[in-house]
């Protein structure tokens, strides 16, 4: 990797993790970790929980070290609430493990957790994220954690004492670091993130009958509306009552239907898996939060060390409001991958340090992002990009396993978006225009421009409001043509006369910018002057009115190519 650790945050963390792993467990595989709750759609904020350790683990792997990136699926968490768009009858399942809740109506998956895991798993595959998934349902119900559960129960007084240090300091999250004032969209996404967290609304095990870090699921109603009322350390007999009226005594050494409370569960897993690196969100980094408390519990109870790792900042969405209102939630990685290629989405996470907030664009900003991405690609190819940008680009386009698939003939995203907007995606018309873009390097088939073409088309059809779509006038605007003055008529004549000789994207760009220069008696290579800029704006506005009936639209050279020479002449001839 070309960048120095000072310039490249991924390299710096890789250095630290390798050194820490060598200190803790020399010669063993290095474990990086993420945790995801499939309690609902797993959104782009949660993706940072995965991408941060993925990028670090991949750098460690590139250096020849054995490393594993585990993703713990918190699918044994309780079902907390019925989300928007789901029938209220699902309320009867509140309190059950996510894997015991039926999937949303019409789903092909066996339960709620698997339904929401599936989309994320597919997205991670597209993004090249190699990982080992761990189902917490499988771990708990198989008895894998039984020794750890019994240990936590024996040491419950010690755990209670750790928790008690923070109980008088206010509710968890009160001291969370702030990232500045959030706008309406960001606040909505932040709320969504908090509700999806494994720590959300989680009690710490305190009850009227004493402190117990283990929460059984009721064997009758399957919910966690239970209270442990007695426990014997020697026999491991545990008695619980449930709000449904059921009371039961079980041997905890054999019981498989329950889990440790979150603030004990997380550090237990650090010890069990030997995690060296795991980032944490802002919601886990305040005084008394699960990450801080877990750092003490993992050492005092489980005899291990807390992972190293940064606090990661909020990921916002630009253009989220439209999606939120239509889908009842914030966008997911699958949503993003429908409008952008995987390397671009990887780049957004790779180029910013974890503590830097950024936004994923679903609005017009995506066109600028793609322009920036393509420019960076050219600079990297030329060797003119700086070290940090080169490193981020390299991490975006591939992993230690190889390069990700790319579009063979990557035309500008904004050009593709304009074309599919004007043609409404008609393949024959789209290919006709693409062939005319650059006669020196013509597009032979639409497949050459995929998947970028498909991403641009999906963006146009799902994210651009109908009133902003481009509709070419079916007939000439006779009234406007009749009112043209001599200067406007001459400008149109010059444009139409130059069509045949300039019929390419570059040629039409020269032509439409050149007509006002000719009218002002200026050479083609003149630098823009205030007078020229005014003349160009007026000419462009006239063309837009005659072609699409409004002041603005797609870039005029692209629009002219899309309309075609015959229709251009029909619409622009006075």
């Amino acid at each position: 990797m070309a960048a120095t650790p000072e310039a490249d945050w991924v390299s710096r963390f890789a250095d630290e993790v390798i050194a820490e792993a060598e200190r803790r467990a020399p010669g063993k595989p290095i474990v990086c970790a993420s945790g995801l709750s499939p309690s609902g759609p797993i959104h782009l904020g949660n993706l940072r929980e995965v991408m941060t350790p993925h990028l670090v683990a991949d750098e460690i792997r590139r250096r020849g070290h054995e490393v594993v990136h585990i993703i713990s699926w918190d699918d044994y968490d309780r079902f907390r609430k019925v989300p928007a768009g789901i029938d209220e009858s699902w309320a009867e399942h509140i309190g059950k493990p996510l894997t015991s809740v039926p999937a949303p109506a019409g789903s092909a998956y066996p339960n709620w957790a698997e339904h929401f895991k599936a989309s994320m798993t597919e997205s991670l595959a597209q993004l090249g994220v190699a990982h080992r998934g761990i189902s917490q349902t499988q771990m708990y119900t198989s008895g894998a954690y039984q020794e750890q559960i019994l240990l936590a129960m024996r040491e419950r007084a010690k755990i209670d004492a750790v928790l008690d240090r923070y109980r008088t300091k206010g509710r968890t999250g009160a001291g969370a670091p702030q990232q500045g004032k959030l706008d309406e969209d960001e606040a909505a996404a932040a709320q969504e993130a908090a509700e999806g967290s494994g720590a959300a609304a989680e009690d710490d095990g305190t009850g009227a009958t004493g402190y117990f870090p283990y929460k059984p699921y009721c064997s009758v109603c399957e919910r966690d509306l239970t209270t442990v009322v007695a426990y014997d350390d020697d026999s491991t007999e545990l008695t619980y009552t449930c709000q449904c009226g059921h009371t039961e005594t079980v041997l905890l050494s054999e019981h498989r239907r329950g889990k440790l409370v979150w603030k004990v569960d997380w550090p237990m897993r650090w010890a069990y898996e030997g995690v060296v690196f795991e980032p944490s969100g802002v919601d886990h980094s305040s005084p008394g939060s699960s990450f801080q408390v877990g750092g003490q519990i993992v050492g005092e109870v489980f005899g291990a060390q807390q992972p190293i790792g940064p606090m990661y900042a909020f990921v916002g969405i630009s253009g989220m409001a439209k999606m939120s209102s239509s889908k009842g939630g914030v966008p997911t990685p699958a949503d993003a991958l429908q409008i952008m290629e995987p390397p671009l989405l990887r780049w957004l996470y790779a180029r910013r340090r974890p503590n830097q907030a950024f936004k994923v664009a679903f609005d017009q900003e995506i066109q600028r992002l793609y322009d920036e991405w393509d420019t960076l690609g050219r600079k990297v190819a030329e060797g003119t990009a700086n070290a940090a940008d080169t490193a981020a680009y390299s991490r975006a386009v591939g992993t230690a396993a190889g390069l990700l698939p790319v579009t063979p003939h990557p035309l500008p995203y904004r050009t593709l978006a304009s074309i599919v907007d004007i043609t409404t995606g008609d393949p024959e018309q789209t290919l006709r225009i693409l062939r005319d873009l650059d006669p020196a390097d013509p597009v032979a088939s639409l497949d050459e421009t995929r998947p970028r073409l498909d991403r641009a088309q999906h963006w146009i059809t799902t994210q651009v409001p109908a009133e902003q779509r481009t509709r070419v006038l079916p007939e000439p605007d006779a009234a406007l043509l009749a009112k043209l003055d001599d200067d406007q008529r001459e400008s149109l004549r010059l444009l139409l006369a130059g069509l045949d000789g300039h019929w390419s994207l570059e040629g039409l760009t020269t032509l439409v910018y050149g007509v006002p220069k000719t009218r002002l008696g200026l050479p083609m290579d003149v630098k823009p002057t205030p007078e020229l800029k005014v003349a160009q704006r007026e000419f462009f506005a006239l063309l837009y009115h005659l072609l699409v009936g409004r002041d603005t639209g797609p870039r005029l050279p692209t629009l002219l190519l899309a309309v075609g020479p015959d229709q251009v002449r029909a619409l622009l001839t006075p």
Side-chain angles (χ1 to χ4, degrees):
M1 197 57 62
T4 63
E6 293 74 21
D8 174 19
W9 68 265
V10 179
S11 288
R12 179 169 57 82
F13 278 123
D15 290 342
E16 294 176 8
V17 173
I18 291 169
E20 185 67 15
E22 183 63 25
R23 186 183 68 78
R24 294 187 185 187
K28 292 188 176 181
I30 300 170
V31 180
C32 301
S34 305
L36 294 172
S37 174
S39 57
I42 300 169
H43 53 77
L44 288 160
N46 299 133
L47 183 59
R48 201 165 208 179
E49 167 78 22
V50 175
M51 289 305 298
T52 302
H54 161 68
L55 292 165
V56 173
D58 190 67
E59 170 63 17
I60 293 171
R61 192 173 291 115
R62 290 174 193 250
R63 297 184 188 184
H65 296 272
E66 190 175 357
V67 61
V68 59
H69 178 194
I70 62 173
I71 295 181
S72 282
W73 292 102
D74 292 321
D75 53 11
Y76 209 46
D77 283 1
R78 74 192 306 267
F79 182 55
R80 302 179 189 282
K81 69 171 189 175
V82 180
I86 301 296
D87 191 279
E88 283 300 319
S89 64
W90 260 258
E92 68 180 86
H93 302 293
I94 289 175
K96 293 180 182 180
L98 293 170
T99 42
S100 295
V101 177
S107 171
Y109 295 94
N111 59 60
W112 189 271
E114 291 301 318
H115 174 82
F116 289 106
K117 283 166 65 174
S119 175
M120 187 63 168
T121 300
E122 170 59 26
S123 295
L124 294 178
Q126 291 185 48
L127 289 165
V129 177
H131 68 280
R132 175 166 64 89
I134 299 175
S135 163
Q136 292 306 310
T137 296
Q138 193 278 327
M139 296 299 285
Y140 272 106
T141 59
S142 69
Y145 295 148
Q146 217 60 32
E147 289 184 16
Q148 287 72 23
I149 292 170
L150 295 174
L151 173 61
M153 288 292 276
R154 286 197 303 273
E155 299 289 351
R156 60 189 178 277
K158 186 178 292 184
I159 295 171
D160 191 30
V162 172
L163 296 172
D164 201 47
R165 297 170 198 165
Y166 297 94
R167 288 186 181 122
T168 59
K169 297 181 181 181
R171 295 181 60 84
T172 297
Q178 298 299 307
Q179 301 185 64
K181 183 175 175 58
L182 302 181
D183 63 29
E184 184 178 348
D185 287 351
E186 291 173 330
Q191 177 66 24
E192 192 87 7
E195 290 177 355
S197 166
E202 178 76 75
D203 67 51
D204 64 9
T206 303
T209 57
Y211 178 77
F212 298 100
Y214 182 77
K215 189 80 165 174
Y217 282 110
C218 177
S219 63
V220 173
C221 72
E222 298 186 82
R223 296 178 293 176
D224 70 343
L225 307 179
T226 58
T227 301
V228 176
V229 296
Y231 179 69
D232 181 75
D233 286 306
D234 295 328
S235 66
T236 76
E237 274 195 0
L238 179 147
T239 301
Y240 71 87
T241 61
C242 180
Q243 291 181 24
C244 74
H246 180 64
T247 298
E248 184 175 13
T249 298
V250 299
L251 286 179
L252 186 55
S253 58
E254 301 174 359
H255 194 244
R256 301 291 187 267
R257 291 290 296 174
K259 68 185 293 287
L260 294 171
V261 297
W262 172 251
K263 287 185 178 180
V264 182
D265 173 87
W266 200 11
M268 178 275 291
R269 287 192 242 163
W270 292 338
Y272 186 92
E273 301 290 351
V275 178
V276 179
F277 181 80
E278 182 171 5
S280 60
V282 172
D283 57 327
H284 290 312
S285 300
S286 58
S289 69
S290 44
F291 190 78
Q292 289 203 350
V293 172
Q296 297 180 48
I297 292 175
V298 71
E300 295 184 31
V301 176
F302 298 107
Q305 297 179 67
Q306 184 177 32
I308 62 173
M311 178 193 77
Y312 57 85
F314 178 74
V315 175
I317 309 296
S318 62
M320 188 193 81
K322 180 176 183 293
M323 289 199 70
S324 182
S325 62
S326 64
K327 299 188 67 172
V330 298
T332 65
D335 293 323
L337 289 170
Q338 288 184 312
I339 65 169
M340 63 182 69
E341 296 160 272
L344 178 66
L345 186 56
R346 286 177 61 91
W347 178 61
L348 297 181
Y349 290 83
R351 69 174 180 159
R352 296 282 185 256
R353 295 191 304 273
N355 64 354
Q356 291 180 306
F358 68 89
K359 289 188 177 186
V360 180
F362 279 78
D363 56 9
Q364 299 285 341
E365 178 69 8
I366 192 173
Q367 300 187 59
R368 190 201 62 77
L369 268 178
Y370 252 105
D371 288 345
E372 188 179 352
W373 169 250
D374 288 343
T375 298
L376 175 59
R378 288 190 292 272
K379 288 182 176 179
V380 169
E382 296 164 357
T384 58
N386 66 41
D389 287 344
T390 299
Y393 183 85
S394 298
R395 301 187 196 289
V397 298
T399 69
L403 296 174
L404 272 66
V406 296
T407 298
H409 197 145
L411 297 168
Y413 189 92
R414 65 173 66 246
T415 299
L416 294 174
S418 295
I419 291 170
V420 295
D421 178 25
I422 299 163
T423 65
T424 62
D426 178 84
E428 290 186 8
Q429 289 297 320
T430 300
L431 182 57
R432 173 186 64 80
I433 300 163
L434 292 178
R435 283 173 174 160
D436 287 342
L437 286 177
D438 183 2
D441 186 19
V443 172
S445 76
L446 293 183
D447 287 342
E448 292 179 20
T449 65
R450 292 188 167 114
R452 186 178 290 197
L453 173 66
D454 298 328
R455 301 300 191 269
Q457 183 167 348
H458 191 84
W459 177 70
I460 283 289
T461 56
T462 65
Q463 301 304 313
V464 179
E467 63 273 14
Q468 295 179 20
R469 299 287 299 275
T470 302
R471 294 291 178 262
V472 178
L473 296 180
E475 301 291 339
D477 186 339
L480 179 55
L481 289 170
K483 293 191 298 183
L484 296 179
D485 59 30
D486 291 341
D487 183 66
Q488 291 172 322
R489 289 173 181 272
E490 180 58 18
S491 294
L492 291 177
R493 188 193 68 77
L494 288 171
L495 177 74
L496 296 176
L499 286 183
D500 290 340
H502 294 81
W503 198 253
S504 68
L505 190 64
E506 182 179 358
L508 289 172
T509 300
T510 299
L511 180 62
V512 296
Y513 280 88
V515 166
K517 296 177 183 177
T518 299
R519 296 294 297 141
L520 292 172
L522 300 172
M524 289 295 107
D525 59 353
V526 68
K527 292 184 177 180
T529 64
E531 181 185 15
L532 176 58
K533 288 180 180 180
V534 169
Q536 287 174 332
R537 281 197 297 269
E538 291 177 349
F539 181 52
F540 296 167
L542 173 63
L543 293 178
Y544 282 125
H545 276 290
L546 290 170
L547 294 170
V548 297
R550 61 175 196 247
D551 290 335
T552 61
R555 292 186 69 242
L556 278 168
T558 306
L559 178 58
L560 292 171
L561 281 175
V563 174
D566 292 342
Q567 183 70 354
V568 168
R569 289 188 173 91
L571 294 174
L572 300 186
T573 300

